[in-house]
Amino acid sequence: MGKTLVEKIIAEHAGKEVSAGEIVIANVTVALVQDGTGPLAIKQLQKLNLEKVAHPERTVLFLDHSAPASRKELANDHMALRAFAAKTGAQLSDVGNGICHTVINEDYVNPGDLLIGADSHTCTGGALCAFSTGMGSTDVAIGMALGKTWLRVPETYKVNVTGKFPVGVYPKDLILHLIGMIGADGATYKSLEFGGPAIDNMAMEGRFTLANMAVEAGAKAGLIASDKITKAYLKKMGRVNKWREIKPDFDAEYERIIDIDVSTLKPIISYPHTVDNMRDIDQSVKDHIKVNQAFLGTCTNSRLSDWAIFSTIIKGKKLAPGVRLIAVPGSKKIEAELLKYGYLQAVMAFGGLILPPGCGPCVGVHGGILGDGENVIATQNRNFQGRMGNPAGNIYLASPATVAASAIAGYIADPREYTRVLRPLGTVPDPSKLPKKEVAKKAVRKRAPKTIRRRVVKKAAKARAFRPAKKVKAAKKRASRKR
Amino acid sequence: MLLRGKSHKFGDDISTDHIAPGRLFHLRSNLPELAKHVLEDADPEFAKKVQPNDFVVGGKNFGLGSSREHAPTIIKLSGVSAVLAKSFARIFFRNAINVGLPVLICDTDKINAGDELEIDLSMGTIKNLTTGTKLTFSPLPDAMIRILNDGGLVAHIEKHGDFKLN
Ligand code: SF4
């Protein structure tokens, strides 16, 4: 019997063939904790007198949720994590370096790895075809110290994605649609395996968005096969030598197959207070939902292409009065790119506020907390009551494009209204790919003087006028040949 | 093991943000203080009402959301002896076992707020002393029973020096 992606990867780490349902002990390749879960993990190891890590070069402690620290208690937690890193040699990703799930995949995770993290969105690593799952502090603490963990090999739901993304529709809309379809507990204990032509053509950044939200359907992991696109990403990150192809077997056994044709999708909004509370944008526009705050950021949507889409839409526009926009790059690396390509500047010029790389307002620890009854449209992955610091606030989830459109309009708005500036997914120009000269030329090119333009127009009209004549000639020729 | 106490009823989709709100992030290294806010965003009075040995009874997908182990830990610290629900979110379920809090999957529609329950963990039965009905719950996987019996994952590793799950 063929194997699914999780069965293949877990088998390598368990040192034997495995099948769904089995409980195994598996070696851990990469482990992470963050500033909300790390202090408890350290305490558990202290209790056990086991203050060590099995693989210091692949164990990473992140200061990202409250970064920089918003209270003395949290500053003290940060100190404890720094001290643990110094003592054990584990890696420290300090304040401002970025969100754990963004940085870990930029710098550490490779196809076939087994990653455990004390944060539920650790599943993001599935985009690189790693078995990557969230656990609690004690589980990860033991995994860090012993270099292994216990797992139940999950059954897999195959998500088969076909069709082409319509203009204004993005992977975020796809994953919100899927969760709305199967429910917030629709894949509990299962692994999701995303495949099909629409995934084969999807850029790495979109794949991260999908894998990131697997847990919002209750899944243990969300994986995508390792292919040429994975290879290109690893190359960009400077470790193409770590790439290898991993595909599920053609006869792998899936518990369920879910088919989605993305060409039928519209932009999706997730209403408060559960992620599966899904509506399409037509409904939201009718509901005329006022926006008090707009938020671009988090481990779901804070990468270069998210900012590129956002900047394209807001170009030349102004933030609606009464709306505050908070934008947070996912990592220091991304921030540098955004600066280079002018996206950071574009958002500032629009009226946005930029916070340092990290989780920002996502979890309600500091910055961007909502007032009673206020609405936020956000690119994050979760809209639970109280999530952003106030149980009386309302969180609406959407793609960066929808957030941009809504920030301009002041109420939840349809990004397809901006179809003139939007292009189909995958064709957002990656500035790093444009030859330097062209970038420079575009920047200084001005419109030609009016007289010249008129001449060009006349010429074009003449050419058009000629065409029918040519056609007539050709038709006559053909007719004579027939005779 | 026999557990006896009163039921505190909650609805579906109780998230870890309901149980241990993100805005109390700074109390995470002060668990007794955090426990004073347990389940605050689902029932602001809960922490005051709960008595030792009581049960938390939820609907479906109890504990969804973040991986914060602080959520089951403060439920346990508040004196609750078990959580019953129609289904649990995966990470919460595993965390609860790791901190030594029994989590039982059963048909909670048959339990009302305030019902007096008697639970036999080894037999897998729940007696509703108020209504007279009897329920059963699905047994845990062996690996989890071992961890729970040792008193949680830290105690398990302390005892065996490694995982000893079969
Ligand atoms: S950005 Fe939000 S969801 Fe992602 S790790 Fe940070 S707090 Fe969690």
Side-chain angles (χ1 to χ4, degrees), chain B residues 1-2 119-125 137:
Chain B
M1 198 168 40
L2 218 55
I119 300 178
D120 189 331
L121 279 184
S122 46
M123 297 295 288
T125 56
F137 57 84

Coordinates of all heavy atoms in Angstrom, one line a residue, chain B residues 1-2 119-125 137:
Chain B
M1 N -10.4 4.7 39.6 CA -10.5 5.9 40.5 C -11.9 6.6 40.4 O -12.4 6.7 39.3 CB -9.4 7.0 40.1 CG -9.2 7.9 41.2 SD -7.8 9.0 41.1 CE -7.6 9.5 39.5
L2 N -12.4 6.9 41.5 CA -13.8 7.5 41.5 C -13.7 9.0 41.7 O -13.1 9.5 42.7 CB -14.6 6.8 42.7 CG -16.0 6.5 42.4 CD1 -16.2 5.6 41.2 CD2 -16.6 5.8 43.6
I119 N -17.9 9.7 38.4 CA -17.1 9.2 37.3 C -16.2 8.1 37.8 O -15.4 8.3 38.7 CB -16.3 10.3 36.6 CG1 -17.3 11.4 36.1 CG2 -15.5 9.8 35.4 CD1 -16.7 12.6 35.4
D120 N -16.3 7.0 37.1 CA -15.3 5.9 37.4 C -14.3 5.8 36.2 O -14.6 5.4 35.2 CB -16.1 4.6 37.5 CG -15.2 3.5 38.0 OD1 -14.0 3.5 37.8 OD2 -15.7 2.5 38.7
L121 N -13.1 6.3 36.5 CA -12.1 6.5 35.4 C -11.7 5.1 34.9 O -11.5 5.0 33.7 CB -10.9 7.2 35.9 CG -11.0 8.7 36.0 CD1 -9.6 9.3 36.4 CD2 -11.4 9.3 34.6
S122 N -11.6 4.1 35.7 CA -11.1 2.8 35.2 C -12.2 2.1 34.5 O -12.0 1.3 33.6 CB -10.5 2.0 36.4 OG -11.4 2.0 37.5
M123 N -13.5 2.2 34.9 CA -14.6 1.5 34.3 C -15.1 2.3 33.0 O -15.8 1.7 32.2 CB -15.8 1.4 35.2 CG -15.5 0.5 36.5 SD -15.1 -1.2 36.0 CE -16.7 -1.7 35.5
G124 N -14.8 3.6 32.9 CA -15.2 4.3 31.8 C -16.7 4.7 31.9 O -17.4 4.8 30.9
T125 N -17.2 4.9 33.1 CA -18.6 5.2 33.2 C -18.9 6.5 34.0 O -18.0 6.9 34.8 CB -19.4 4.1 34.0 OG1 -18.7 4.0 35.3 CG2 -19.4 2.8 33.3
F137 N -17.7 6.8 28.5 CA -16.8 7.6 27.7 C -15.8 6.7 27.0 O -15.5 5.6 27.4 CB -16.1 8.7 28.5 CG -15.4 8.2 29.7 CD1 -14.1 7.8 29.6 CD2 -16.0 8.2 31.0 CE1 -13.4 7.4 30.7 CE2 -15.3 7.8 32.1 CZ -14.0 7.4 32.0

